[in-house]
Amino acid sequence: MPASDLNVVILAAGKGTRMRSQLPKVLHPVAQKPMVAHVIDTAKVVGATTLNLVFGHGAAQLQIALSHYDVNWVEQAEQLGTGHAVQQAIPHMGDEDTVLILYGDVPLTRAETLSALLAAKGDHPLALLTVNLTDPTGYGRILRDAQNRIVGIVEHKDASAEQHAIREVNTGIMAANGKDLKRWLAALTNNNVQGEYYLTDVVAMAAQEGATIASAQPASAAEVEGANNRVQLATLERAYQARQAEQLMLAGATLLDPARVDVRGTVEIGNDVVIDVNVIFEGRVVLGEGAVIEANCILRDCTIGAGARVKSHSVVEGAILAEGAQAGPFARLRPGAELAKNAAVGNFVEIKKSYLGEGAKAGHLTYLGDTTVGDGANIGAGTITCNYDGVNKHQTVIGAGAFIGSNSSLVAPVTIGDGATTGAGSVITATVEDHALAVGRAKQRNIQGWKRPVKKG
Ligand code: UD1
Ligand code: CA
């Protein structure tokens, strides 16, 4: 028997006034990714076969930001309550579907928690994700009978003083049989203090039909928290980052301070990686066994080999460091930079679309663009590859074991042979043969008895 389709409805129609923003609330990012994208990705992890996004405001911005997702765009023109919001998705719900209701501004729910909710639901018509809070103010309270069976939810504003004491609250996240949910939704009224169609009223309907209403709980309250303003958004960001840091440590990284590392993408690591403070990871980063990332570095879409070291204050993007390679302090590696085994670049070195062979070194104040450097070559301080003529980019090839004197300008396209040397201060415009010395600078002349100018009257 095939598993029933998992039909996910994500509520995202709220205006988010308290964000005070041009951006729809659910597009505000956690770890550089819109909150609602976290929700969609988690829904996919638990096996969503259909995704419905209930939107109200900022449709154009939402559709652009989420264009890479395959979702049904369900408009809720007027926000008449959570029940009304889910009603808009009814045309996309099959009777045999399991419908899972999520919220575009609640990004940190773990897939494990949703799987536990779906498991708790089993063949029951309805399951709720609930959480116990020390301060339940504002939330819908879970009503249970003497046998501890869920019989309903009462919204804070509709609750009695006695009900206000209940600490088990509704997270809003629930799973239901499509057929049953459609029947309950059709019977909702807005006969309550807020004059809204409450999704929560389906719970009492299910109980009255004699159904068992299952429940599950998240591992922590942060999983079910939403963000209505930027203070809460920052709280979610910290909770997310704490979780990333914990995962890195459990995977074998030493973090000098787990509160001072930010992962805004994915980081795959080998054992014994060391990450010092104030490091930001973006995109997809791979750190090999024993790699060290010193303080204040930004790494984006790069691969750092085993035992390689990125020294402090370096920015590494789209680059590869092989085993034992080193960069920094204050290095800038741009897309296409590749350092072979044990190659090293030092302070104020910028590298773009260039390969440095095994053990090659560029220690100080250098720009290498569109360049291939052979094994063991040494690039002196202040070397610049002049790779751009104002229209096109050109290649520089530096042979194995070459020695580029300090302050050389290598005007591309140009080739410097294996074991060749350039004199300091040279402007190299033509091929240098293997093992030759090229000196491309004015010859020094000394003027004897030179008198310095004197200051006039
Ligand atoms: C809701 C629950 C409450 C629960 C709480 C958890 C109801 C009636 N109450 O209350 O039991 O404790 O969430 O946070 O469901 N939305 C729409 N369209 C609407 C109304 C809301 O898309 O017409 C979206 C909002 O953008 C928001 C979410 O649904 O993301 C929750 O709506 P909100 O009005 O904040 O519900 P609460 O009053 O907090
Ligand atoms: Ca709310």
Side-chain angles (χ1 to χ4, degrees):
M1 192 180 76
S4 70
D5 282 345
L6 182 59
N7 189 318
V8 175
V9 179
I10 300 174
L11 303 196
K15 198 169 186 177
T17 312
R18 282 171 286 167
M19 282 291 180
R20 296 180 175 273
S21 177
Q22 296 296 323
L23 197 65
K25 174 164 80 169
V26 297
L27 290 185
H28 279 261
V30 167
Q32 247 170 33
K33 182 163 101 175
M35 288 195 280
V36 67
H38 286 271
V39 179
I40 294 172
D41 287 343
T42 308
K44 286 162 78 169
V45 172
V46 296
T49 46
T50 305
L51 285 161
N52 303 291
L53 191 72
V54 181
F55 69 96
H57 301 276
Q61 281 170 288
L62 281 165
Q63 290 183 357
I64 290 167
L66 305 176
S67 59
H68 53 295
Y69 288 113
D70 182 16
V71 302
N72 296 325
W73 293 91
V74 178
E75 185 170 12
Q76 185 193 23
E78 260 189 297
Q79 277 76 66
L80 302 179
T82 51
H84 180 258
V86 179
Q87 280 172 351
Q88 310 312 303
I90 288 176
H92 300 284
M93 286 177 201
D95 283 352
E96 305 309 317
D97 290 355
T98 295
V99 179
L100 175 64
I101 295 166
L102 304 175
Y103 298 81
D105 60 350
V106 179
L108 301 192
T109 319
R110 293 176 314 133
E112 292 85 340
T113 297
L114 296 180
S115 295
L117 176 68
L118 294 168
K121 181 189 170 296
D123 290 331
H124 299 304
L126 180 64
L128 307 178
L129 189 69
T130 74
V131 66
N132 289 293
L133 299 179
T134 40
D135 178 11
T137 308
Y139 290 91
R141 307 298 205 282
I142 304 294
L143 306 178
R144 290 180 183 266
D145 67 11
Q147 282 74 48
N148 207 35
R149 292 176 303 207
I150 294 176
V151 292
I153 294 176
V154 60
E155 289 305 294
H156 182 91
K157 286 180 181 160
D158 299 293
S160 66
E162 201 178 317
Q163 290 168 333
H164 278 155
I166 299 170
R167 291 202 176 155
E168 187 186 11
V169 306
N170 174 34
T171 65
I173 295 172
M174 59 177 76
N177 287 342
K179 191 176 182 193
D180 298 314
L181 182 63
K182 287 197 261 186
R183 183 175 66 255
W184 300 327
L185 288 172
L188 290 180
T189 65
N190 63 351
N191 193 5
N192 52 57
V193 170
Q194 303 185 80
E196 289 181 5
Y197 294 90
Y198 290 167
L199 174 62
T200 46
D201 285 351
V202 306
V203 179
M205 293 179 193
Q208 271 151 28
E209 289 177 2
T212 296
I213 298 156
S215 63
Q217 282 74 39
S220 76
E223 285 194 52
V224 292
E225 273 166 19
N228 291 312
N229 59 41
R230 296 182 205 232
V231 176
Q232 292 170 347
L233 185 67
T235 303
L236 294 186
E237 178 77 31
R238 284 306 101 206
Y240 178 88
Q241 294 302 344
R243 196 188 283 173
Q244 302 309 305
E246 185 178 297
Q247 281 169 9
L248 285 174
M249 292 185 286
L250 293 174
T254 293
L255 304 189
L256 276 294
D257 181 355
R260 283 185 290 169
V261 58
D262 283 65
V263 179
R264 301 168 184 168
T266 60
V267 182
E268 291 164 44
I269 61 163
N271 290 345
D272 297 312
V273 159
V274 176
I275 300 168
D276 210 328
V277 301
N278 296 331
V279 174
I280 297 174
F281 297 102
E282 296 180 352
R284 180 171 178 267
V285 174
V286 179
L287 305 177
E289 186 166 335
V292 177
I293 313 301
E294 294 185 2
N296 302 315
C297 290
I298 300 176
L299 281 74
R300 183 180 302 132
D301 294 315
C302 56
T303 300
I304 310 299
R309 179 179 284 259
V310 179
K311 298 180 184 174
S312 70
H313 298 91
S314 294
V315 179
V316 180
E317 176 180 7
I320 299 171
L321 270 68
E323 203 182 316
Q326 302 203 357
F330 297 99
R332 175 154 187 232
L333 303 189
R334 292 170 50 198
E338 185 176 349
L339 274 55
K341 194 173 166 185
N342 299 327
V345 305
N347 40 228
F348 309 109
V349 173
E350 175 181 345
I351 300 188
K352 184 217 74 166
K353 273 195 193 161
S354 294
Y355 172 85
L356 265 72
E358 260 188 63
K361 289 186 172 47
H364 335 261
L365 299 158
T366 286
Y367 172 64
L368 299 175
D370 306 300
T371 299
T372 306
V373 178
D375 295 349
N378 193 310
I379 312 294
T383 298
I384 304 291
T385 55
C386 309
N387 60 328
Y388 186 49
D389 59 14
V391 185
N392 295 304
K393 301 280 169 65
H394 301 282
Q395 289 291 130
T396 299
V397 177
I398 298 171
F403 182 96
I404 307 301
S406 294
N407 208 31
S408 293
S409 298
L410 311 178
V411 182
V414 70
T415 298
I416 292 154
D418 290 348
T421 303
T422 69
S426 290
V427 177
I428 303 296
T429 56
T431 302
V432 181
E433 300 80 17
D434 291 355
H435 306 290
L437 167 67
V439 183
R441 65 188 184 212
K443 196 171 165 60
Q444 179 175 329
R445 58 192 182 110
N446 296 351
I447 297 168
Q448 303 302 328
W450 167 253
K451 296 277 185 293
R452 291 181 189 162
V454 288
K455 198 165 174 84
K456 284 182 183 154

